[in-house]
Amino acid sequence: MRILFYDTKSYDEEFFREANKGYADIEVDFLKTDLTPKTAPLAEGFDAVCAFVSSDVGRKTLHVLHGRGVGLLLMRCAGFNNVDLDAAKEYGIRVMRVPGYSPEAVAEHAMALALAANRRLYKSYNKVRENDFSLVGLMGVNFHGKTAGIIGTGKIGAAMCRICRGFGMRIIAYDVYENPSLSEFVTYVTLDELLMQSDLISLHCPLMDSTYHMINIDTIKKMKDGVILVNTSRGGLVKTNDLIEGIRLHKFAGVGLDVYEEETKNVFEDRSDEILENSTTARLLSFPNVMITSHQGFFTREAMKAIAETTLQNAVDYVRGAPSPNDVS
Protein backbone atom coordinates (compact mmCIF):
# COMPACT_ATOMS: atom_id res chain seq x y z
CA MET A 1 0.00 0.00 0.00
CA ARG A 2 1.20 3.53 -0.85
CA ILE A 3 0.17 6.49 1.32
CA LEU A 4 0.68 10.14 0.43
CA PHE A 5 0.83 12.47 3.43
CA TYR A 6 -0.30 16.05 2.89
CA ASP A 7 0.62 19.17 4.89
CA THR A 8 3.51 17.50 6.68
CA LYS A 9 6.11 19.17 8.84
CA SER A 10 9.49 17.77 9.84
CA TYR A 11 8.07 16.26 13.01
CA ASP A 12 5.29 14.48 11.09
CA GLU A 13 7.82 12.83 8.81
CA GLU A 14 10.07 11.94 11.75
CA PHE A 15 7.39 10.06 13.68
CA PHE A 16 5.71 8.42 10.69
CA ARG A 17 8.98 7.18 9.22
CA GLU A 18 9.95 5.73 12.59
CA ALA A 19 6.56 4.04 13.01
CA ASN A 20 6.63 2.78 9.42
CA LYS A 21 9.66 0.61 10.21
CA GLY A 22 7.18 -1.84 11.69
CA TYR A 23 5.00 -1.94 8.56
CA ALA A 24 6.97 -3.50 5.72
CA ASP A 25 4.03 -3.50 3.29
CA ILE A 26 3.35 0.22 3.59
CA GLU A 27 5.22 2.82 1.52
CA VAL A 28 4.94 6.44 2.64
CA ASP A 29 5.66 9.74 0.92
CA PHE A 30 5.31 13.29 2.21
CA LEU A 31 4.22 16.64 0.82
CA LYS A 32 4.47 20.04 2.48
CA THR A 33 1.44 21.31 0.58
CA ASP A 34 -2.01 20.80 2.08
CA LEU A 35 -4.80 18.75 0.55
CA THR A 36 -7.12 20.81 -1.67
CA PRO A 37 -8.92 20.18 -4.98
CA LYS A 38 -5.85 21.60 -6.76
CA THR A 39 -3.32 19.37 -4.97
CA ALA A 40 -5.44 16.22 -4.91
CA PRO A 41 -4.18 15.10 -8.37
CA LEU A 42 -0.75 14.58 -6.80
CA ALA A 43 -2.22 11.43 -5.23
CA GLU A 44 -2.13 9.67 -8.62
CA GLY A 45 -0.73 6.18 -8.05
CA PHE A 46 -1.35 6.16 -4.30
CA ASP A 47 -3.86 3.93 -2.53
CA ALA A 48 -4.48 6.34 0.33
CA VAL A 49 -3.93 9.91 1.41
CA CYS A 50 -3.38 11.21 4.91
CA ALA A 51 -4.75 14.63 5.87
CA PHE A 52 -5.13 16.83 8.92
CA VAL A 53 -7.94 18.76 10.55
CA SER A 54 -7.18 21.91 8.53
CA SER A 55 -7.21 20.15 5.12
CA ASP A 56 -9.91 20.80 2.54
CA VAL A 57 -11.58 17.41 2.17
CA GLY A 58 -14.81 18.57 0.61
CA ARG A 59 -16.70 17.09 -2.32
CA LYS A 60 -14.39 18.57 -4.98
CA THR A 61 -11.30 17.14 -3.34
CA LEU A 62 -12.90 13.74 -2.85
CA HIS A 63 -14.07 13.71 -6.46
CA VAL A 64 -10.50 14.22 -7.65
CA LEU A 65 -9.13 11.60 -5.25
CA HIS A 66 -11.72 9.09 -6.42
CA GLY A 67 -10.72 9.75 -10.01
CA ARG A 68 -7.10 9.00 -9.10
CA GLY A 69 -8.02 5.65 -7.57
CA VAL A 70 -7.67 6.62 -3.92
CA GLY A 71 -9.83 4.42 -1.73
CA LEU A 72 -8.80 5.49 1.75
CA LEU A 73 -8.66 8.82 3.54
CA LEU A 74 -6.63 8.71 6.74
CA MET A 75 -7.19 11.58 9.14
CA ARG A 76 -4.26 11.86 11.54
CA CYS A 77 -6.45 13.61 14.10
CA ALA A 78 -9.67 13.07 16.02
CA GLY A 79 -11.74 15.72 14.25
CA PHE A 80 -13.31 15.14 10.86
CA ASN A 81 -15.79 18.01 10.48
CA ASN A 82 -13.76 19.18 7.46
CA VAL A 83 -14.59 15.94 5.58
CA ASP A 84 -17.69 15.68 3.38
CA LEU A 85 -18.79 12.25 4.61
CA ASP A 86 -21.70 12.02 2.18
CA ALA A 87 -19.35 12.56 -0.75
CA ALA A 88 -16.86 10.06 0.66
CA LYS A 89 -19.58 7.43 0.89
CA GLU A 90 -20.78 8.23 -2.61
CA TYR A 91 -17.26 7.79 -4.01
CA GLY A 92 -16.56 4.66 -1.97
CA ILE A 93 -13.71 6.26 -0.04
CA ARG A 94 -13.26 4.85 3.46
CA VAL A 95 -12.51 7.48 6.09
CA MET A 96 -10.58 6.56 9.23
CA ARG A 97 -9.30 8.73 12.06
CA VAL A 98 -7.33 8.70 15.30
CA PRO A 99 -9.98 9.22 17.98
CA GLY A 100 -7.79 8.96 21.06
CA TYR A 101 -4.06 9.56 20.72
CA SER A 102 -3.23 11.07 24.11
CA PRO A 103 -6.12 12.59 26.05
CA GLU A 104 -3.72 13.71 28.76
CA ALA A 105 -1.70 15.77 26.28
CA VAL A 106 -4.67 17.99 25.40
CA ALA A 107 -6.04 18.11 28.94
CA GLU A 108 -2.66 19.12 30.38
CA HIS A 109 -2.41 21.88 27.78
CA ALA A 110 -5.91 23.06 28.71
CA MET A 111 -4.85 23.39 32.33
CA ALA A 112 -1.63 25.09 31.27
CA LEU A 113 -3.69 27.69 29.39
CA ALA A 114 -5.98 28.14 32.39
CA LEU A 115 -3.03 28.68 34.71
CA ALA A 116 -1.21 30.99 32.29
CA ALA A 117 -4.32 33.12 31.76
CA ASN A 118 -5.12 33.18 35.47
CA ARG A 119 -1.65 34.13 36.68
CA ARG A 120 -0.75 36.29 33.63
CA LEU A 121 2.41 34.24 33.02
CA TYR A 122 2.94 35.61 29.52
CA LYS A 123 2.69 39.19 30.79
CA SER A 124 4.95 38.42 33.75
CA TYR A 125 7.56 36.86 31.48
CA ASN A 126 7.64 39.91 29.22
CA LYS A 127 7.80 42.32 32.18
CA VAL A 128 10.82 40.55 33.67
CA ARG A 129 12.56 40.56 30.27
CA GLU A 130 12.35 44.36 30.48
CA ASN A 131 13.69 44.32 34.06
CA ASP A 132 10.24 45.22 35.38
CA PHE A 133 9.76 43.17 38.54
CA SER A 134 6.58 44.87 39.74
CA LEU A 135 3.46 42.80 40.40
CA VAL A 136 0.87 45.25 39.10
CA GLY A 137 -1.54 43.51 36.73
CA LEU A 138 -0.45 39.98 37.64
CA MET A 139 -2.90 39.02 40.37
CA GLY A 140 -4.82 35.78 39.89
CA VAL A 141 -7.01 33.54 42.04
CA ASN A 142 -6.55 30.17 43.70
CA PHE A 143 -8.00 27.25 41.77
CA HIS A 144 -8.16 25.18 44.97
CA GLY A 145 -11.71 25.22 46.29
CA LYS A 146 -13.14 26.74 43.12
CA THR A 147 -15.63 25.09 40.74
CA ALA A 148 -14.48 23.67 37.40
CA GLY A 149 -17.13 23.21 34.73
CA ILE A 150 -16.17 20.67 32.07
CA ILE A 151 -18.26 20.66 28.91
CA GLY A 152 -17.81 17.27 27.26
CA THR A 153 -16.54 14.31 29.28
CA GLY A 154 -15.10 11.97 26.69
CA LYS A 155 -11.49 10.86 27.04
CA ILE A 156 -10.01 14.36 27.01
CA GLY A 157 -12.73 15.90 29.16
CA ALA A 158 -12.36 13.05 31.65
CA ALA A 159 -8.62 13.65 31.81
CA MET A 160 -9.31 17.33 32.50
CA CYS A 161 -11.69 16.35 35.29
CA ARG A 162 -8.96 14.30 36.93
CA ILE A 163 -6.48 17.17 36.65
CA CYS A 164 -8.95 19.60 38.23
CA ARG A 165 -9.56 17.09 41.02
CA GLY A 166 -5.84 17.12 41.71
CA PHE A 167 -6.04 20.89 42.14
CA GLY A 168 -8.67 20.44 44.83
CA MET A 169 -11.51 21.82 42.72
CA ARG A 170 -15.19 20.96 42.85
CA ILE A 171 -16.06 19.50 39.45
CA ILE A 172 -19.33 19.76 37.59
CA ALA A 173 -19.88 18.64 34.02
CA TYR A 174 -22.30 18.79 31.12
CA ASP A 175 -22.56 16.12 28.45
CA VAL A 176 -25.32 14.34 26.56
CA TYR A 177 -23.83 11.07 27.81
CA GLU A 178 -22.52 10.75 31.35
CA ASN A 179 -19.14 9.09 31.84
CA PRO A 180 -19.55 6.41 34.54
CA SER A 181 -15.82 6.43 35.32
CA LEU A 182 -16.23 9.94 36.77
CA SER A 183 -19.21 9.23 39.04
CA GLU A 184 -17.08 9.26 42.19
CA PHE A 185 -16.13 12.93 41.99
CA VAL A 186 -18.02 14.64 39.11
CA THR A 187 -21.57 15.98 39.32
CA TYR A 188 -23.50 16.30 36.06
CA VAL A 189 -25.66 19.40 35.72
CA THR A 190 -27.52 21.25 32.98
CA LEU A 191 -25.57 23.57 30.71
CA ASP A 192 -27.17 26.63 32.30
CA GLU A 193 -26.26 25.40 35.78
CA LEU A 194 -22.67 24.83 34.68
CA LEU A 195 -22.41 28.28 33.15
CA MET A 196 -23.76 29.96 36.29
CA GLN A 197 -21.71 28.01 38.84
CA SER A 198 -18.28 27.57 37.25
CA ASP A 199 -15.16 29.58 38.01
CA LEU A 200 -13.29 27.73 35.26
CA ILE A 201 -15.04 26.49 32.10
CA SER A 202 -13.15 24.14 29.79
CA LEU A 203 -14.54 22.97 26.44
CA HIS A 204 -13.94 19.36 25.39
CA CYS A 205 -16.69 18.51 22.93
CA PRO A 206 -16.86 17.88 19.17
CA LEU A 207 -18.03 20.51 16.69
CA MET A 208 -21.52 19.64 15.48
CA ASP A 209 -24.64 21.57 14.54
CA SER A 210 -25.76 21.30 18.17
CA THR A 211 -22.50 22.66 19.57
CA TYR A 212 -21.65 25.29 16.93
CA HIS A 213 -21.30 28.67 18.68
CA MET A 214 -22.48 27.18 21.97
CA ILE A 215 -20.44 29.92 23.62
CA ASN A 216 -22.15 33.10 22.48
CA ILE A 217 -23.24 36.36 24.04
CA ASP A 218 -26.32 34.76 25.59
CA THR A 219 -24.39 31.93 27.25
CA ILE A 220 -21.58 34.30 28.20
CA LYS A 221 -24.02 36.54 30.08
CA LYS A 222 -25.08 33.51 32.15
CA MET A 223 -21.51 32.97 33.36
CA LYS A 224 -20.08 34.26 36.61
CA ASP A 225 -18.20 37.53 36.48
CA GLY A 226 -14.49 36.73 36.57
CA VAL A 227 -14.81 33.30 34.97
CA ILE A 228 -11.88 31.71 33.13
CA LEU A 229 -12.74 30.14 29.75
CA VAL A 230 -10.53 27.59 27.99
CA ASN A 231 -11.04 26.03 24.56
CA THR A 232 -8.75 23.28 23.27
CA SER A 233 -11.41 21.50 21.17
CA ARG A 234 -12.76 23.30 18.09
CA GLY A 235 -12.75 26.99 17.26
CA GLY A 236 -16.35 26.94 16.08
CA LEU A 237 -17.61 26.17 19.58
CA VAL A 238 -17.04 29.84 20.42
CA LYS A 239 -18.55 32.76 18.51
CA THR A 240 -15.49 34.98 18.38
CA ASN A 241 -17.18 38.37 18.06
CA ASP A 242 -19.39 37.56 21.05
CA LEU A 243 -16.33 36.45 23.02
CA ILE A 244 -14.69 39.80 22.28
CA GLU A 245 -17.84 41.56 23.44
CA GLY A 246 -17.80 39.49 26.63
CA ILE A 247 -14.17 40.40 27.28
CA ARG A 248 -14.97 44.09 26.82
CA LEU A 249 -17.81 43.70 29.32
CA HIS A 250 -15.19 42.45 31.83
CA LYS A 251 -16.91 39.09 32.08
CA PHE A 252 -13.68 37.06 31.99
CA ALA A 253 -10.76 36.99 34.37
CA GLY A 254 -8.92 35.10 31.67
CA VAL A 255 -9.37 33.33 28.34
CA GLY A 256 -7.14 30.54 27.04
CA LEU A 257 -7.51 29.42 23.43
CA ASP A 258 -5.62 26.73 21.56
CA VAL A 259 -8.23 26.84 18.78
CA TYR A 260 -10.25 29.67 17.31
CA GLU A 261 -12.51 30.30 14.35
CA GLU A 262 -9.93 32.05 12.20
CA GLU A 263 -7.18 29.47 12.65
CA THR A 264 -7.46 27.43 9.42
CA LYS A 265 -4.90 29.47 7.46
CA ASN A 266 -2.68 29.87 10.50
CA VAL A 267 -2.40 26.32 11.84
CA PHE A 268 1.29 25.34 12.03
CA GLU A 269 2.32 28.10 9.59
CA ASP A 270 4.88 30.87 10.08
CA ARG A 271 3.10 34.08 9.09
CA SER A 272 5.34 36.42 11.07
CA ASP A 273 6.25 38.46 8.00
CA GLU A 274 2.64 39.02 6.96
CA ILE A 275 0.11 41.69 7.82
CA LEU A 276 -3.02 39.82 8.88
CA GLU A 277 -5.80 42.09 7.69
CA ASN A 278 -9.16 41.94 9.49
CA SER A 279 -7.64 39.50 11.95
CA THR A 280 -9.86 38.60 14.91
CA THR A 281 -6.78 36.87 16.30
CA ALA A 282 -5.04 40.23 16.56
CA ARG A 283 -8.10 41.70 18.27
CA LEU A 284 -8.10 38.90 20.83
CA LEU A 285 -4.38 39.29 21.47
CA SER A 286 -4.89 42.98 22.20
CA PHE A 287 -6.50 42.04 25.51
CA PRO A 288 -4.14 41.52 28.47
CA ASN A 289 -6.14 38.57 29.84
CA VAL A 290 -6.19 36.44 26.68
CA MET A 291 -3.69 33.64 26.01
CA ILE A 292 -3.62 32.04 22.53
CA THR A 293 -1.50 29.12 21.38
CA SER A 294 -1.26 27.55 17.93
CA HIS A 295 -3.29 24.34 18.07
CA GLN A 296 -0.53 22.61 20.01
CA GLY A 297 -2.58 20.80 22.64
CA PHE A 298 -1.86 17.43 21.03
CA PHE A 299 1.83 18.13 20.50
CA THR A 300 3.75 15.78 22.79
CA ARG A 301 6.11 12.97 21.84
CA GLU A 302 3.69 10.43 23.29
CA ALA A 303 0.79 11.78 21.27
CA MET A 304 2.76 11.96 18.01
CA LYS A 305 3.89 8.36 18.42
CA ALA A 306 0.33 7.22 19.10
CA ILE A 307 -1.01 9.15 16.08
CA ALA A 308 1.53 7.55 13.76
CA GLU A 309 0.95 4.02 15.06
CA THR A 310 -2.84 4.28 14.92
CA THR A 311 -2.85 5.83 11.45
CA LEU A 312 -0.68 3.07 9.99
CA GLN A 313 -2.71 0.38 11.75
CA ASN A 314 -5.83 1.93 10.20
CA ALA A 315 -4.20 1.44 6.80
CA VAL A 316 -3.52 -2.23 7.62
CA ASP A 317 -7.15 -2.74 8.64
CA TYR A 318 -8.22 -1.19 5.34
CA VAL A 319 -6.04 -3.57 3.33
CA ARG A 320 -7.39 -6.53 5.26
CA GLY A 321 -10.95 -5.33 4.87
CA ALA A 322 -11.31 -5.49 8.64
CA PRO A 323 -13.78 -3.35 10.59
CA SER A 324 -12.29 -0.77 12.90
CA PRO A 325 -13.55 1.42 15.76
CA ASN A 326 -11.69 4.23 14.01
CA ASP A 327 -13.99 4.18 10.97
CA VAL A 328 -15.81 7.41 10.24
CA SER A 329 -17.49 6.18 7.04
Side-chain angles (χ1 to χ4, degrees), residues 220-233:
I220 289 171
K221 287 180 178 179
K222 294 176 182 178
M223 298 177 188
K224 281 184 176 183
D225 290 340
V227 68
I228 294 173
L229 175 69
V230 173
N231 185 13
T232 54
S233 294

Side-chain angles (χ1 to χ4, degrees), residues 12 19 49 54 62 84 139 156 159 256 274 316 323:
D12 293 309
V49 296
S54 55
L62 291 166
D84 188 329
M139 184 175 290
I156 298 174
E274 299 179 38
V316 171

Side-chain angles (χ1 to χ4, degrees), residues 141-277:
V141 298
N142 289 1
F143 278 177
H144 185 274
K146 297 299 194 300
T147 297
I150 310 302
I151 300 180
T153 53
K155 293 181 179 180
I156 298 174
M160 185 62 172
C161 287
R162 290 189 288 270
I163 290 173
C164 291
R165 185 190 192 190
F167 273 74
M169 304 184 78
R170 168 181 174 249
I171 305 162
I172 59 178
Y174 170 75
D175 201 324
V176 177
Y177 303 101
E178 296 187 10
N179 188 333
S181 70
L182 304 175
S183 60
E184 180 184 346
F185 62 96
V186 173
T187 302
Y188 281 89
V189 297
T190 66
L191 179 58
D192 281 352
E193 288 173 326
L194 185 145
L195 295 171
M196 291 185 289
Q197 296 179 30
S198 300
D199 301 290
L200 165 64
I201 297 175
S202 192
L203 306 181
H204 300 283
C205 49
L207 180 61
M208 305 180 292
D209 290 342
S210 59
T211 60
Y212 179 68
H213 283 176
M214 68 184 305
I215 302 301
N216 54 61
I217 195 60
D218 293 328
T219 53
I220 289 171
K221 287 180 178 179
K222 294 176 182 178
M223 298 177 188
K224 281 184 176 183
D225 290 340
V227 68
I228 294 173
L229 175 69
V230 173
N231 185 13
T232 54
S233 294
R234 292 290 177 268
L237 298 176
V238 179
K239 188 173 182 180
T240 307
N241 287 334
D242 286 8
L243 176 63
I244 291 172
E245 182 178 350
I247 295 170
R248 287 175 171 159
L249 292 172
H250 302 282
K251 195 70 177 178
F252 300 98
V255 175
L257 305 174
D258 190 44
V259 293
Y260 47 94
E261 287 189 288
E262 196 185 58
E263 72 173 351
T264 301
K265 292 183 179 180
N266 298 342
V267 173
F268 313 143
E269 300 300 329
D270 181 359
R271 304 185 67 190
S272 56
D273 289 334
E274 299 179 38
I275 297 175
L276 305 183
E277 297 180 0

